[in-house]
């Protein structure tokens, strides 16, 4: 066997230590992504080898927290991909309206922008009262931020543009109060959102739901892990339920792709067959 | 020597520049090409379709987990970083902008350099920022071939100039010379 590159060996050992000590399993995340994040932290912290980080990971709690945070990309937006939300309004809302109560699972909700966007949309469609949104992530820092529902005011302009492009029915400013720095989302938007820590790799099926949104999460997983999570989604969805992936994510390699019907191929919205 | 892939980074003035290079490549071109062109995060990718109509090679957006194969020119999607895995498939990422850009040229180049080593050609074209310079240096370090558009001939010279100041590159070419060079590689392969 050809000798492997030292850095790769060190990264494997680091991921193994993270799993054994902290229970987070990154061993089947995409290599290029993991390597970028780890090398980034190495340079930031002034270490020369990944092995030096191994020591810190095991013995320095705050270093470990930073590294864990680095490995989960939390970048998100309100009404990200406005065309997606237009498609939800046109194609999914009529389906959801047929149910007396609705459960929606946002898997990998990060700091909550996506769940708040959905709450706004459902409010405008008159469905929020009978909906429960389960917003989950394995990153507790992100979840804590999400619960607060406080966003930097500098982003509001961009979010307003997104909201309008998403077919918003009102003024975006109806949904928050702002001062010079912060915008606080209206309390009633959170009323039916349940925030929960859930790890897609190590935890089990979450709930029986009508709709799952998991956008920009599976892109970080290798194929086999994607397949495993797709199985979990399939088991969690009711028949006829809707699965929404990110705009650049297909079901290309999922063993379950024939179990779904395309509702909007451009927006990567799929319906579980009966 | 057989090259496994060509990566191209280009920013402002890019469409013009690419149109001077890519349409001249034949349908059976033996090396896959992967391109980061900085575009607005809201671009719908229509420009990719129009490139596809003008090129003989198949021009498409790079899909996540897709295997990199000859006959194709892959374009990074707006608002996603594009990375190359060691098994020659693509990964996408939404991590923060790098060099104010997503997709970032450095991110593609650095990952491609690790995947292809000395079998990679890196090419920096016109652009008014500094993205790609570190990525090109990494390609050089891994033994790959580095080419930069002559800043004098670039619509926006700073990206090529920055790349040249960071790495002792193998060739500094005009667009026409780049087109010729790439064609010759196709013949030899
Ligand atoms: C890029 S964000 C996507 C946020 C939002 N869905 C969007 O598209 O805007 C990815 C999120 O996935 C979460 N994540 C990554 N791996 C996870 C796992 N194994 N279980 C649960 N969440 C995970 C990260 O913590 C991060 O918040």
């Amino acid at each position: 066997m050809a000798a492997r590159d030292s850095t790769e060996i060190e990264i494997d050992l680091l991921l193994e230590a993270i799993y054994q000590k902290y229970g987070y399993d990154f061993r089947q995340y995409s290599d290029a992504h993991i390597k970028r994040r780890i090398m980034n932290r190495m340079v930031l912290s002034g270490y020369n080898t990944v092995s030096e980080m191994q020591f810190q990971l095991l013995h320095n709690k705050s270093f470990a927290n930073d590294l864990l945070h680095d490995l989960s990309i939390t970048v998100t937006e309100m009404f990200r991909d406005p065309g997606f939300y237009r498609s939800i309004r046109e194609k999914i809302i009529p389906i959801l309206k047929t149910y007396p109560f609705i459960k929606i699972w946002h898997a990998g909700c990060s700091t909550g922008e996506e769940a708040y966007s959905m709450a706004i949309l459902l409010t405008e469609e008159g469905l929020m009262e009978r909906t429960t949104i389960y917003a989950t992530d394995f990153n507790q820092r992100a979840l804590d931020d999400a619960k607060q529902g406080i966003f930097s005011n500098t982003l509001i302009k961009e979010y307003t543009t997104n909201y309008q492009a998403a077919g918003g029915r009102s003024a975006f400013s109806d949904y928050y109060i702002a001062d010079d720095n912060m915008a606080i989302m209206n309390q009633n938007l959170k009323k039916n959102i349940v925030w929960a820590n859930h790890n897609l790799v190590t935890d089990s099926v979450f709930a029986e739901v009508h709709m799952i949104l998991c956008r920009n999460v599976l892109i970080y997983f290798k194929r086999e892990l994607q397949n495993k999570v797709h199985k979990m989604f399939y088991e969690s969805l009711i028949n006829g339920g809707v699965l929404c992936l990110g705009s650049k994510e297909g079901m290309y390699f999922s063993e379950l792709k024939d179990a779904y019907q395309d509702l909007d191929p451009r927006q990567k919205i799929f319906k579980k067959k009966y | 020597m057989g090259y496994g892939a060509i990566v191209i980074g280009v920013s402002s003035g890019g469409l013009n520049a690419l149109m001077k290079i890519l349409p001249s490549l034949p349908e059976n071109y033996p090396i896959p090409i992967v391109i980061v062109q900085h575009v607005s995060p809201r671009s719908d990718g229509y420009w990719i379709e129009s490139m596809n109509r003008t090129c003989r090679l198949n021009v498409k957006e790079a899909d996540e987990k897709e295997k990199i194969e000859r006959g194709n020119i892959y374009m990074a999607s707006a608002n996603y970083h594009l990375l190359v895995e060691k098994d020659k498939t693509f990964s996408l990422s939404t991590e923060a902008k790098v060099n104010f850009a997503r997709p970032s040229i450095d991110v593609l180049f650095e990952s491609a350099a690790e995947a292809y080593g000395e079998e990679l050609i890196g090419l920096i074209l016109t652009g008014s920022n500094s993205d790609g310079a570190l990525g090109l240096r990494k390609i050089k370090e891994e033994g790959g071939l580095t080419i930069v558009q002559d800043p004098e001939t670039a619509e926006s010279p700073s990206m090529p100039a920055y790349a040249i100041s960071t790495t002792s590159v193998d060739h500094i070419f005009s667009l026409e010379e780049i087109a010729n060079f790439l064609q010759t590689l196709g013949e030899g392969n």
Side-chain angles (χ1 to χ4, degrees), chain A residues 8 35 37 216 220-221, chain B residues 65 80 86 94-95 114:
Chain A
E8 277 170 26
K35 183 164 188 186
R37 300 313 297 161
N216 304 303
Y220 300 106
F221 297 1
Chain B
K65 305 280 181 290
Y80 286 81
K86 288 237 157 115
T94 60
E95 74 168 273
E114 302 221 335

Side-chain angles (χ1 to χ4, degrees), chain A residues 29 72-73 76 80 108 110 114 137-138 199-200 215-216, chain B residues 94:
Chain A
Y29 280 52
S72 89
I73 306 296
T76 182
R80 177 181 194 154
S110 186
E114 200 177 44
D137 204 284
F138 75 160
N199 187 326
L200 289 166
R215 304 197 302 150
N216 304 303
Chain B
T94 60

Side-chain angles (χ1 to χ4, degrees), chain A residues 8 30-33 35-37 73 75 77 80 158 162 216 218-223 226 247-250 252-253 266, chain B residues 42 44 61 63-66 77-80 83-86 89 91-96 98 102 106-107 110-111 114:
Chain A
E8 277 170 26
S30 99
D31 295 322
H33 158 70
K35 183 164 188 186
R36 252 198 89 71
R37 300 313 297 161
I73 306 296
V75 179
E77 279 169 42
R80 177 181 194 154
E158 191 190 332
N162 278 0
N216 304 303
L218 299 184
I219 46 175
Y220 300 106
F221 297 1
K222 287 185 187 168
R223 272 190 212 183
Q226 286 191 350
S247 60
K248 299 297 168 226
E249 299 173 78
Y252 315 107
F253 302 107
R266 206 183 150 83
Chain B
R42 282 177 229 301
D44 62 0
E61 257 179 90
D63 286 322
E64 58 119 8
K65 305 280 181 290
E66 179 173 18
S77 301
N79 220 11
Y80 286 81
L83 294 86
V84 175
E85 297 286 340
K86 288 237 157 115
T89 58
S91 284
L92 267 54
S93 153
T94 60
E95 74 168 273
V98 175
R102 190 174 51 224
D106 278 342
V107 171
E110 283 166 13
S111 60
E114 302 221 335

Side-chain angles (χ1 to χ4, degrees), chain A residues 226-270:
Chain A
Q226 286 191 350
N227 268 323
K228 183 180 148 190
V229 176
H230 272 303
K231 281 201 187 92
M232 174 153 76
F233 288 161
Y234 185 78
E235 284 167 29
S236 305
L237 270 180
I238 62 157
N239 288 336
V242 178
L243 174 64
C244 304
L245 303 176
S247 60
K248 299 297 168 226
E249 299 173 78
M251 296 273 281
Y252 315 107
F253 302 107
S254 167
E255 292 154 10
L256 283 161
K257 66 172 183 296
D258 296 330
Y260 290 91
Q261 158 200 348
D262 272 340
L263 275 188
D264 185 337
R266 206 183 150 83
Q267 299 299 341
K268 306 293 160 50
I269 303 176
F270 306 89

